[in-house]
């Protein structure tokens, strides 16, 4: 991959993200020292002191691998995504935000104006009377000051630039990240577009909990804080929405082992086009009623259907396509 | 010395829970007049006659009768029976004896692709008849869990096909691929919105209503499904994405679903789908679910026409 006398060059970047993906890389601990021995880190603004000019100074394709986390929310995110694409041989959408939009993508229920109005005008902690809003360009005596433009919608990395591989997870779990590093360092990369650092199966495939049987149905959906959870039984049988049936395995079930239902961050497995619609179809089939009024009551116990079924995948959903086409 | 008579067929049926009320039947035939299977599928279908066969000890004839196998326990006949016999319960008892005697269900049933099945158990929970259940099996030296369908319990409604998140379950004629293929409608006649109408095989009783559906132009694609519970919201989304203007799903009225719970499942799905559309600010009434009762003759016309009018007005307003 790199010239024999040089270490491969690695870049890591965060766009619209929470920093969890960075922490997951840091969580490699002593293994990170090993990574540091094997690669040359040319850009990692969260951890080391780099400037965008350092990236601009690189030749096109000089970065061997770029792990890009975060969604594309602003003109800055987009600019750096395009820049890193240009400078990198292999661009990896690292983590759920870059892969599927993740939690930042839930902002797509709204548009930029309503988000800015909320944040700058109507949030209870603010004095909204001044009408202060971030403006991309400001004239000051010293000249023009520019800040990034806040886009109307969130995009994934692949909706912005060409992406070579995808590492799912919010965040990707550390052992999978280590495997991804190994894969990259050995140069044994799979076919372009592949999902790496995850399994082909679903979480239900590997979940040790006692699964549902005939006759077990749901009279009302509950949220984890509303109920004491049986650590052995399938969450669905307990009336909790668990995204495991339509979520790719590979995380090692940290949530489920912590007695919390799967939230779906590894995205859909192969063959599932729309994770949320499939989850909806599965969960709705479990309701237990033969009374229309009770049915409405049960449906209403799902407080935030789109945010629940598409918690991580809204940006890549058909629902999103219908809104933005 | 007490003398015990040999156990009759009727004794055996009565001994099975559900079969107790056998003798109450005085053969009025009200059940037959209510039954949609008799009307739509099998003229030979006749619960009255089946119960009589049992009482006359006609064991093999009863076991071979389509009535034994086709009853889906929709229970439309139950409230109509002047003797209050839970007829599907009696038929269920006869079916159980038939199975014990080595007979098998002639129905088209679902099958599971084990390569795709994750063993999540959703099909087992969703099935109105408890036909799927999870089994453990050794695969490449490891124990793994799969769904297995009891073909003698499966009525072929397809509720599990829609519920399976991985598309591991299918039924010939109404597999995901076969339905998605039918969703494609090319632009043809101007003025008529491209509309997909999913119609449950059981919700239309009148022959006029069934033939009416064939009279719409090609822009209105009618897709027949065994049960509205077969509908997967992904199909509605795929339809809208492909440029279809609207999707209408027709199921049975509450309490009349041929497969007991399909109409509730479908109602829940479309309800949630529309709430999600609302959250996202899309959809606005383009996916509808209607429940058509067995007495609602002519209703299908007003529902389809109403949908088309709405879609035309919506297009005009944009």
């Amino acid at each position: 991959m790199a010239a024999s006398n040089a270490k491969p060059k690695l870049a890591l970047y965060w766009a619209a993200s929470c920093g969890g993906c960075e922490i997951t890389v840091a969580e490699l601990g002593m293994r990170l020292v090993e990574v540091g021995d094997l690669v040359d880190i040319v850009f990692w603004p969260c951890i080391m002191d780099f400037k965008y000019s350092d990236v601009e100074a690189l030749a096109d394709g000089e970065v061997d691998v770029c792990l890009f986390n975060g969604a594309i929310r602003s003109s800055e995110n987009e600019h750096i995504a395009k820049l890193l694409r240009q400078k990198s041989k292999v661009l990896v959408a690292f983590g759920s935000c870059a892969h599927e939009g993740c939690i930042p993508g839930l902002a797509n229920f709204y548009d930029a104006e309503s988000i800015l109005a909320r944040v700058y005008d109507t949030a209870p902690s603010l004095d909204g009377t001044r009408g202060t809003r971030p403006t991309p360009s400001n004239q000051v005596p010293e000249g023009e000051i520019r800040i990034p433009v806040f886009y109307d919608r969130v995009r994934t990395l692949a909706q912005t630039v060409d992406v070579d591989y995808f590492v799912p997870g919010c965040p990707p779990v550390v052992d999978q990240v280590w495997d991804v590093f190994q894969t990259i360092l050995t140069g044994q990369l799979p076919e372009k577009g592949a999902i790496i650092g995850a399994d082909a199966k679903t979480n239900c495939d590997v979940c040790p909990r006692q699964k549902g049987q005939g006759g077990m149905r749901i009279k009302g959906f509950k949220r984890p804080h509303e109920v004491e959870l049986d650590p052995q039984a399938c969450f669905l049988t307990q009336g909790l929405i668990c995204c495991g049936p339509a979520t790719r395995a590979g995380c090692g079930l940290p949530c489920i082992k912590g007695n919390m239902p799967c939230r779906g961050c590894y995205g859909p497995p192969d063959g599932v086009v729309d994770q949320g619609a499939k989850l909806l179809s599965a969960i709705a089939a479990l309701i237990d009623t033969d009374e229309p009024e009770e049915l409405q009551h049960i449906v209403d116990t799902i407080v935030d259907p789109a945010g629940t079924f598409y918690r991580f995948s809204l940006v890549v959903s058909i629902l999103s396509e219908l809104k933005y086409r | 010395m007490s003398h015990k008579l040999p156990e009759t067929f009727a004794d055996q049926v009565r001994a099975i829970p559900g079969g107790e009320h056998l003798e109450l039947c005085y053969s009025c035939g009200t059940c037959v007049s209510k039954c949609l299977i008799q009307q739509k599928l099998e003229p030979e279908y006749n619960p009255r006659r089946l119960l009589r066969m049992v009482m006359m000890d006609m064991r093999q004839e009863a076991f071979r009768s389509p009535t034994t196998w086709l009853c889906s326990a929709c229970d439309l006949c139950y409230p109509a029976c002047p003797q209050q016999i839970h007829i599907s319960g009696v038929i269920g008892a006869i079916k159980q004896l038939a199975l014990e005697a080595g007979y098998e269900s002639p129905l088209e049933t679902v099958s599971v692709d084990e390569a795709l099945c994750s063993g999540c158990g959703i099909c087992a929970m969703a099935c109105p008849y408890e036909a799927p259940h999870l089994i453990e099996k050794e695969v490449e030296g490891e124990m793994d869990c799969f769904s297995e369908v009891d073909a003698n319990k499966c009525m072929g409604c397809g509720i599990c096909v829609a519920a399976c998140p991985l598309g591991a379950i299918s039924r010939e004629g109404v597999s995901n691929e076969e339905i998605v293929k039918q969703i494609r409608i090319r632009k043809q006649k101007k003025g008529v919105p491209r509309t997909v109408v999913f119609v449950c095989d059981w919700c239309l009783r009148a022959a006029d209503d069934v033939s009416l559906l064939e009279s719409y132009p090609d822009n209105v694609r009618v897709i027949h499904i065994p049960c509205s519970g077969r509908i997967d919201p992904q199909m509605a989304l795929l339809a809208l994405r492909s440029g279809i203007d609207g999707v209408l799903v027709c199921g049975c009225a509450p309490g009349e679903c041929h497969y007991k719970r399909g109409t509730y499942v479908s109602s829940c799905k479309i309800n949630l789908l529309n709430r999600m559309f609302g959250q996202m600010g899309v959809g606005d009434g383009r996916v509808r679910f209607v429940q058509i009762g067995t007495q609602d003759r002519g209703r299908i016309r007003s529902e389809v026409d109403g949908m088309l009018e709405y879609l035309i007005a919506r297009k005009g307003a944009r």
Side-chain angles (χ1 to χ4, degrees):
Chain A
M1 121 181 324
S4 56
N5 57 351
K7 291 197 278 185
K9 290 194 169 81
L10 178 70
L12 299 99
Y13 185 68
W14 56 348
S17 69
C18 69
C21 291
E22 306 282 346
I23 289 169
T24 244
V25 179
E27 214 185 318
L28 285 169
M30 291 311 289
R31 287 181 283 189
L32 202 52
V33 178
E34 204 177 314
V35 174
D37 287 341
L38 294 168
V39 301
D40 196 2
I41 295 172
V42 294
F43 187 56
W44 194 4
C46 175
I47 303 288
M48 299 153 89
D49 186 16
F50 288 103
K51 301 286 179 256
Y52 289 161
S53 54
D54 298 327
V55 184
E56 282 155 8
L58 296 167
D60 287 358
E62 191 177 336
V63 178
D64 291 286
V65 177
C66 172
L67 301 182
F68 190 107
N69 76 70
I72 308 303
R73 162 90 272 183
S74 70
S75 56
E76 180 192 27
N77 300 152
E78 185 184 4
H79 170 69
I80 302 300
K82 286 179 173 164
L83 184 65
L84 284 168
R85 170 69 279 181
Q86 189 189 334
K87 304 293 180 187
S88 308
K89 288 191 189 76
V90 174
L91 179 66
V92 181
F94 185 82
S96 179
C97 289
H99 175 213
E100 296 192 294
C102 194
I103 304 297
L106 294 176
N108 284 2
F109 288 131
Y110 311 95
D111 57 14
E113 171 52 31
S114 56
I115 292 168
L116 292 173
R118 173 68 181 166
V119 172
Y120 288 93
D121 302 340
T122 62
S125 59
L126 291 176
D127 170 14
T129 56
R130 288 183 295 172
T132 312
R133 288 283 183 91
T135 45
S137 170
N138 286 287
Q139 286 300 329
V140 292
E142 293 79 7
E144 187 193 20
I145 294 177
R146 287 198 290 176
I147 60 169
V149 178
F150 184 77
Y151 285 157
D152 209 36
R153 60 182 278 205
V154 173
R155 285 184 172 83
T156 65
L157 186 61
Q159 287 170 351
T160 310
V161 294
D162 187 39
V163 172
D164 297 299
Y165 301 105
F166 300 87
V167 179
C170 178
V173 293
V174 65
D175 287 337
Q176 291 284 12
V177 173
W178 181 241
D179 283 349
V180 168
F181 273 109
Q182 299 286 347
T183 306
I184 290 169
L185 290 171
T186 54
Q188 311 220 317
L189 287 160
E191 206 176 305
K192 186 178 163 164
I195 285 177
I196 54 176
D199 300 341
K201 294 177 165 188
T202 70
N203 274 341
C204 287
D205 240 318
V206 290
C207 176
R209 286 177 180 249
Q210 184 62 43
K211 303 296 191 322
Q213 294 166 11
M216 284 185 174
R217 299 214 182 100
I218 299 172
K219 275 273 179 212
F221 293 93
K222 300 176 201 87
R223 288 188 283 173
H225 67 277
E226 296 172 331
V227 61
E228 203 160 311
L229 292 165
D230 178 344
Q232 313 293 334
C234 167
F235 290 107
L236 293 169
T237 66
Q238 303 181 60
L240 275 95
I241 294 175
C242 178
C243 301
T247 300
R248 186 182 288 277
C251 58
L253 310 179
C255 301
I256 286 164
K257 285 176 185 161
N259 209 14
M260 277 289 140
C262 169
R263 290 150 49 99
C265 76
Y266 265 62
D270 294 338
V272 173
V273 180
D274 191 289
Q275 189 185 21
K278 280 292 177 191
L279 272 170
L280 191 169
S281 197
I283 303 283
L286 308 181
I287 59 154
D288 180 16
T289 181
D290 48 16
E291 298 288 336
E293 296 79 28
E294 190 186 37
L295 182 138
Q296 189 58 50
H297 169 74
I298 297 174
V299 169
D300 289 345
T301 58
I302 300 178
V303 178
D304 170 15
T308 305
F309 297 129
Y310 291 106
R311 188 178 275 122
F312 298 90
S313 64
L314 184 70
V315 175
V316 294
S317 68
I318 301 177
L319 209 55
S320 241
E321 286 182 51
L322 295 178
K323 179 167 178 171
Y324 294 112
R325 67 162 165 215
Chain B
M1 198 175 121
S2 70
H3 186 75
K4 218 176 165 192
L5 286 167
E7 201 182 34
T8 64
F9 186 24
D11 292 333
Q12 289 180 331
V13 170
R14 267 196 309 265
I16 296 170
E20 311 87 326
H21 301 303
L22 175 68
E23 254 97 27
L24 292 174
C25 176
Y26 52 48
S27 288
C28 68
T30 307
C31 50
V32 186
S33 75
K34 283 283 166 189
C35 185
L36 290 171
I37 300 173
Q38 197 271 338
Q39 188 190 332
K40 296 175 88 77
L41 196 66
E42 175 55 67
E44 287 302 304
Y45 190 92
N46 193 316
R48 176 189 67 83
R49 206 181 293 157
L50 181 70
L51 266 56
R52 183 55 64 188
M53 283 177 190
V54 176
M55 288 184 266
M56 293 174 75
D57 221 29
M58 296 165 72
R59 191 181 296 264
Q60 304 309 323
E61 290 85 345
F63 291 166
R64 278 196 294 266
S65 163
T67 312
T68 300
W69 301 101
L70 298 182
C71 174
S72 64
C74 72
D75 287 344
L76 276 179
C77 55
Y78 184 26
C81 175
Q83 291 289 82
Q84 296 174 11
I85 305 171
H86 190 208
I87 299 156
S88 68
V90 180
I91 297 177
I94 299 166
K95 181 173 161 181
Q96 188 180 322
L97 291 169
L99 293 171
E100 285 166 13
Y103 286 80
E104 285 179 5
S105 168
L107 288 172
E108 181 74 59
T109 57
V110 302
S111 59
V112 179
D113 181 348
E114 286 186 358
L116 293 173
C117 175
S118 72
C120 67
I122 282 172
C123 52
M125 291 169 76
C127 176
Y129 305 101
E130 302 188 11
H133 49 271
L134 296 179
I135 51 156
E136 276 203 65
K137 243 186 180 172
E138 197 179 306
V139 179
E140 290 164 7
E142 273 182 54
M143 291 309 280
D144 208 347
C145 208
F146 299 104
S147 172
E148 187 182 69
V149 176
D150 181 342
N152 288 317
K153 287 184 176 172
C154 175
M155 300 302 297
C157 63
I159 291 175
C160 60
V161 180
C164 177
L166 303 176
I169 311 183
S170 64
R171 209 206 94 178
E172 212 179 308
V174 288
S175 67
N176 289 333
E177 296 74 23
E178 284 165 295
I179 292 186
V180 169
K181 216 181 273 175
Q182 290 184 72
I183 288 174
R184 292 182 201 130
I185 309 174
R186 259 180 303 179
K187 275 186 191 168
Q188 289 154 347
K189 196 165 180 249
K190 278 208 169 134
V192 180
R194 282 187 289 169
T195 311
V196 172
V197 182
F198 289 107
V199 185
C200 141
D201 279 339
W202 301 96
C203 67
L204 302 182
R205 193 174 188 118
D208 279 1
D209 286 345
V210 179
S211 55
L212 165 81
L213 291 172
E214 287 159 24
S215 69
Y216 284 100
D218 290 346
N219 276 12
V220 179
R221 173 69 44 85
V222 177
I223 302 176
H224 293 275
I225 46 175
C227 175
S228 61
R230 167 68 190 90
I231 287 309
D232 164 354
Q234 184 170 289
M235 288 167 186
L237 288 166
L238 287 170
L240 296 185
R241 177 168 78 174
S242 74
I244 303 285
D245 296 293
V247 177
L248 178 67
V249 182
C250 307
C252 299
E256 294 186 344
C257 178
H258 192 68
Y259 300 105
K260 302 204 264 194
R261 55 189 310 268
T263 195
Y264 303 108
V265 167
S266 191
S267 173
C268 182
K269 282 178 201 171
I270 305 300
N271 186 312
L272 283 167
L273 183 64
N274 275 312
R275 270 178 68 201
M276 301 204 306
F277 281 148
Q279 286 181 279
M280 202 62 179
V282 295
D284 59 322
R286 293 164 69 200
V287 180
R288 283 187 191 173
F289 179 59
V290 292
Q291 293 176 315
I292 298 176
T294 50
Q295 306 300 317
D296 292 349
R297 190 177 186 139
R299 166 110 180 266
I300 184 75
R301 178 190 292 273
S302 61
E303 292 295 348
V304 176
D305 290 354
M307 182 85 188
L308 294 175
E309 277 164 32
Y310 171 79
L311 293 172
I312 291 166
R314 184 182 170 278
K315 259 193 166 169
R318 282 172 78 195

PDB file of all heavy atoms in Angstrom, chain B residues 260-277:
ATOM      1  N   LYS B 260     -57.979 -13.967  12.030  1.00  0.00           N
ATOM      2  CA  LYS B 260     -58.142 -13.531  13.406  1.00  0.00           C
ATOM      3  C   LYS B 260     -57.523 -12.169  13.732  1.00  0.00           C
ATOM      4  O   LYS B 260     -58.197 -11.290  14.250  1.00  0.00           O
ATOM      5  CB  LYS B 260     -57.595 -14.583  14.394  1.00  0.00           C
ATOM      6  CG  LYS B 260     -58.259 -15.936  14.245  1.00  0.00           C
ATOM      7  CD  LYS B 260     -58.175 -16.744  15.511  1.00  0.00           C
ATOM      8  CE  LYS B 260     -57.023 -17.711  15.518  1.00  0.00           C
ATOM      9  NZ  LYS B 260     -57.160 -18.707  16.592  1.00  0.00           N
ATOM     10  N   ARG B 261     -56.201 -11.989  13.451  1.00  0.00           N
ATOM     11  CA  ARG B 261     -55.555 -10.771  13.926  1.00  0.00           C
ATOM     12  C   ARG B 261     -54.889  -9.936  12.840  1.00  0.00           C
ATOM     13  O   ARG B 261     -54.317  -8.888  13.132  1.00  0.00           O
ATOM     14  CB  ARG B 261     -54.556 -11.095  15.031  1.00  0.00           C
ATOM     15  CG  ARG B 261     -53.495 -12.133  14.668  1.00  0.00           C
ATOM     16  CD  ARG B 261     -52.689 -12.541  15.890  1.00  0.00           C
ATOM     17  NE  ARG B 261     -52.184 -11.410  16.629  1.00  0.00           N
ATOM     18  CZ  ARG B 261     -51.000 -10.847  16.434  1.00  0.00           C
ATOM     19  NH1 ARG B 261     -50.190 -11.322  15.528  1.00  0.00           N
ATOM     20  NH2 ARG B 261     -50.629  -9.828  17.150  1.00  0.00           N
ATOM     21  N   GLY B 262     -54.971 -10.388  11.583  1.00  0.00           N
ATOM     22  CA  GLY B 262     -54.254  -9.674  10.528  1.00  0.00           C
ATOM     23  C   GLY B 262     -54.681  -8.236  10.379  1.00  0.00           C
ATOM     24  O   GLY B 262     -53.867  -7.337  10.177  1.00  0.00           O
ATOM     25  N   THR B 263     -55.968  -7.975  10.502  1.00  0.00           N
ATOM     26  CA  THR B 263     -56.472  -6.616  10.295  1.00  0.00           C
ATOM     27  C   THR B 263     -55.991  -5.673  11.403  1.00  0.00           C
ATOM     28  O   THR B 263     -55.762  -4.486  11.179  1.00  0.00           O
ATOM     29  CB  THR B 263     -58.007  -6.613  10.148  1.00  0.00           C
ATOM     30  OG1 THR B 263     -58.420  -5.371   9.606  1.00  0.00           O
ATOM     31  CG2 THR B 263     -58.726  -6.854  11.457  1.00  0.00           C
ATOM     32  N   TYR B 264     -55.796  -6.207  12.604  1.00  0.00           N
ATOM     33  CA  TYR B 264     -55.268  -5.372  13.696  1.00  0.00           C
ATOM     34  C   TYR B 264     -53.787  -5.066  13.466  1.00  0.00           C
ATOM     35  O   TYR B 264     -53.319  -3.958  13.700  1.00  0.00           O
ATOM     36  CB  TYR B 264     -55.450  -6.073  15.049  1.00  0.00           C
ATOM     37  CG  TYR B 264     -56.883  -6.421  15.339  1.00  0.00           C
ATOM     38  CD1 TYR B 264     -57.339  -7.731  15.298  1.00  0.00           C
ATOM     39  CD2 TYR B 264     -57.810  -5.414  15.626  1.00  0.00           C
ATOM     40  CE1 TYR B 264     -58.667  -8.044  15.537  1.00  0.00           C
ATOM     41  CE2 TYR B 264     -59.138  -5.717  15.867  1.00  0.00           C
ATOM     42  CZ  TYR B 264     -59.561  -7.040  15.824  1.00  0.00           C
ATOM     43  OH  TYR B 264     -60.877  -7.334  16.046  1.00  0.00           O
ATOM     44  N   VAL B 265     -53.074  -6.098  13.023  1.00  0.00           N
ATOM     45  CA  VAL B 265     -51.643  -5.932  12.760  1.00  0.00           C
ATOM     46  C   VAL B 265     -51.439  -4.880  11.672  1.00  0.00           C
ATOM     47  O   VAL B 265     -50.617  -3.964  11.801  1.00  0.00           O
ATOM     48  CB  VAL B 265     -51.020  -7.293  12.346  1.00  0.00           C
ATOM     49  CG1 VAL B 265     -49.634  -7.102  11.767  1.00  0.00           C
ATOM     50  CG2 VAL B 265     -50.974  -8.239  13.543  1.00  0.00           C
ATOM     51  N   SER B 266     -52.223  -4.988  10.608  1.00  0.00           N
ATOM     52  CA  SER B 266     -52.099  -4.058   9.503  1.00  0.00           C
ATOM     53  C   SER B 266     -52.487  -2.645   9.940  1.00  0.00           C
ATOM     54  O   SER B 266     -51.824  -1.661   9.594  1.00  0.00           O
ATOM     55  CB  SER B 266     -52.974  -4.517   8.348  1.00  0.00           C
ATOM     56  OG  SER B 266     -52.689  -3.778   7.212  1.00  0.00           O
ATOM     57  N   SER B 267     -53.552  -2.551  10.701  1.00  0.00           N
ATOM     58  CA  SER B 267     -54.002  -1.260  11.208  1.00  0.00           C
ATOM     59  C   SER B 267     -52.883  -0.597  12.016  1.00  0.00           C
ATOM     60  O   SER B 267     -52.601   0.596  11.876  1.00  0.00           O
ATOM     61  CB  SER B 267     -55.241  -1.492  12.074  1.00  0.00           C
ATOM     62  OG  SER B 267     -55.618  -0.316  12.722  1.00  0.00           O
ATOM     63  N   CYS B 268     -52.237  -1.384  12.850  1.00  0.00           N
ATOM     64  CA  CYS B 268     -51.137  -0.875  13.678  1.00  0.00           C
ATOM     65  C   CYS B 268     -49.976  -0.396  12.798  1.00  0.00           C
ATOM     66  O   CYS B 268     -49.415   0.684  13.019  1.00  0.00           O
ATOM     67  CB  CYS B 268     -50.699  -2.005  14.614  1.00  0.00           C
ATOM     68  SG  CYS B 268     -49.402  -1.562  15.755  1.00  0.00           S
ATOM     69  N   LYS B 269     -49.662  -1.170  11.770  1.00  0.00           N
ATOM     70  CA  LYS B 269     -48.535  -0.807  10.890  1.00  0.00           C
ATOM     71  C   LYS B 269     -48.796   0.506  10.158  1.00  0.00           C
ATOM     72  O   LYS B 269     -47.947   1.390  10.113  1.00  0.00           O
ATOM     73  CB  LYS B 269     -48.314  -1.898   9.826  1.00  0.00           C
ATOM     74  CG  LYS B 269     -47.609  -3.111  10.330  1.00  0.00           C
ATOM     75  CD  LYS B 269     -47.491  -4.120   9.193  1.00  0.00           C
ATOM     76  CE  LYS B 269     -47.267  -5.496   9.769  1.00  0.00           C
ATOM     77  NZ  LYS B 269     -47.363  -6.530   8.748  1.00  0.00           N
ATOM     78  N   ILE B 270     -49.981   0.616   9.551  1.00  0.00           N
ATOM     79  CA  ILE B 270     -50.260   1.810   8.750  1.00  0.00           C
ATOM     80  C   ILE B 270     -50.413   3.026   9.667  1.00  0.00           C
ATOM     81  O   ILE B 270     -50.013   4.136   9.319  1.00  0.00           O
ATOM     82  CB  ILE B 270     -51.513   1.598   7.863  1.00  0.00           C
ATOM     83  CG1 ILE B 270     -51.360   0.339   7.000  1.00  0.00           C
ATOM     84  CG2 ILE B 270     -51.770   2.818   6.982  1.00  0.00           C
ATOM     85  CD1 ILE B 270     -50.192   0.317   6.044  1.00  0.00           C
ATOM     86  N   ASN B 271     -50.971   2.789  10.839  1.00  0.00           N
ATOM     87  CA  ASN B 271     -51.073   3.859  11.828  1.00  0.00           C
ATOM     88  C   ASN B 271     -49.682   4.402  12.189  1.00  0.00           C
ATOM     89  O   ASN B 271     -49.439   5.614  12.155  1.00  0.00           O
ATOM     90  CB  ASN B 271     -51.767   3.265  13.070  1.00  0.00           C
ATOM     91  CG  ASN B 271     -52.085   4.290  14.124  1.00  0.00           C
ATOM     92  OD1 ASN B 271     -51.224   5.091  14.468  1.00  0.00           O
ATOM     93  ND2 ASN B 271     -53.298   4.257  14.652  1.00  0.00           N
ATOM     94  N   LEU B 272     -48.778   3.497  12.508  1.00  0.00           N
ATOM     95  CA  LEU B 272     -47.415   3.925  12.875  1.00  0.00           C
ATOM     96  C   LEU B 272     -46.694   4.559  11.684  1.00  0.00           C
ATOM     97  O   LEU B 272     -45.974   5.542  11.838  1.00  0.00           O
ATOM     98  CB  LEU B 272     -46.605   2.733  13.396  1.00  0.00           C
ATOM     99  CG  LEU B 272     -46.917   2.304  14.836  1.00  0.00           C
ATOM    100  CD1 LEU B 272     -46.294   0.939  15.136  1.00  0.00           C
ATOM    101  CD2 LEU B 272     -46.392   3.331  15.835  1.00  0.00           C
ATOM    102  N   LEU B 273     -46.907   3.966  10.502  1.00  0.00           N
ATOM    103  CA  LEU B 273     -46.260   4.516   9.304  1.00  0.00           C
ATOM    104  C   LEU B 273     -46.713   5.962   9.089  1.00  0.00           C
ATOM    105  O   LEU B 273     -45.911   6.850   8.811  1.00  0.00           O
ATOM    106  CB  LEU B 273     -46.586   3.651   8.081  1.00  0.00           C
ATOM    107  CG  LEU B 273     -45.916   4.057   6.772  1.00  0.00           C
ATOM    108  CD1 LEU B 273     -44.406   3.922   6.872  1.00  0.00           C
ATOM    109  CD2 LEU B 273     -46.425   3.214   5.602  1.00  0.00           C
ATOM    110  N   ASN B 274     -48.013   6.195   9.258  1.00  0.00           N
ATOM    111  CA  ASN B 274     -48.522   7.557   9.067  1.00  0.00           C
ATOM    112  C   ASN B 274     -48.026   8.512  10.144  1.00  0.00           C
ATOM    113  O   ASN B 274     -47.803   9.694   9.876  1.00  0.00           O
ATOM    114  CB  ASN B 274     -50.050   7.547   8.979  1.00  0.00           C
ATOM    115  CG  ASN B 274     -50.516   7.255   7.561  1.00  0.00           C
ATOM    116  OD1 ASN B 274     -50.032   7.850   6.605  1.00  0.00           O
ATOM    117  ND2 ASN B 274     -51.432   6.309   7.412  1.00  0.00           N
ATOM    118  N   ARG B 275     -47.855   7.991  11.350  1.00  0.00           N
ATOM    119  CA  ARG B 275     -47.271   8.855  12.387  1.00  0.00           C
ATOM    120  C   ARG B 275     -45.830   9.215  12.034  1.00  0.00           C
ATOM    121  O   ARG B 275     -45.390  10.337  12.260  1.00  0.00           O
ATOM    122  CB  ARG B 275     -47.322   8.154  13.744  1.00  0.00           C
ATOM    123  CG  ARG B 275     -48.612   8.474  14.479  1.00  0.00           C
ATOM    124  CD  ARG B 275     -48.704   7.749  15.788  1.00  0.00           C
ATOM    125  NE  ARG B 275     -47.744   8.203  16.782  1.00  0.00           N
ATOM    126  CZ  ARG B 275     -47.364   7.467  17.829  1.00  0.00           C
ATOM    127  NH1 ARG B 275     -47.845   6.254  18.000  1.00  0.00           N
ATOM    128  NH2 ARG B 275     -46.506   7.945  18.696  1.00  0.00           N
ATOM    129  N   MET B 276     -45.112   8.249  11.471  1.00  0.00           N
ATOM    130  CA  MET B 276     -43.731   8.534  11.066  1.00  0.00           C
ATOM    131  C   MET B 276     -43.705   9.535   9.914  1.00  0.00           C
ATOM    132  O   MET B 276     -42.863  10.423   9.869  1.00  0.00           O
ATOM    133  CB  MET B 276     -43.002   7.244  10.681  1.00  0.00           C
ATOM    134  CG  MET B 276     -42.948   6.235  11.816  1.00  0.00           C
ATOM    135  SD  MET B 276     -41.590   5.058  11.706  1.00  0.00           S
ATOM    136  CE  MET B 276     -41.805   4.386  10.103  1.00  0.00           C
ATOM    137  N   PHE B 277     -44.658   9.387   8.985  1.00  0.00           N
ATOM    138  CA  PHE B 277     -44.765  10.376   7.896  1.00  0.00           C
ATOM    139  C   PHE B 277     -44.980  11.762   8.485  1.00  0.00           C
ATOM    140  O   PHE B 277     -44.393  12.746   8.039  1.00  0.00           O
ATOM    141  CB  PHE B 277     -45.943  10.035   6.979  1.00  0.00           C
ATOM    142  CG  PHE B 277     -45.668   8.929   5.996  1.00  0.00           C
ATOM    143  CD1 PHE B 277     -46.689   8.071   5.601  1.00  0.00           C
ATOM    144  CD2 PHE B 277     -44.409   8.748   5.454  1.00  0.00           C
ATOM    145  CE1 PHE B 277     -46.452   7.057   4.686  1.00  0.00           C
ATOM    146  CE2 PHE B 277     -44.164   7.737   4.536  1.00  0.00           C
ATOM    147  CZ  PHE B 277     -45.184   6.883   4.156  1.00  0.00           C
TER     148      PHE B 277
END
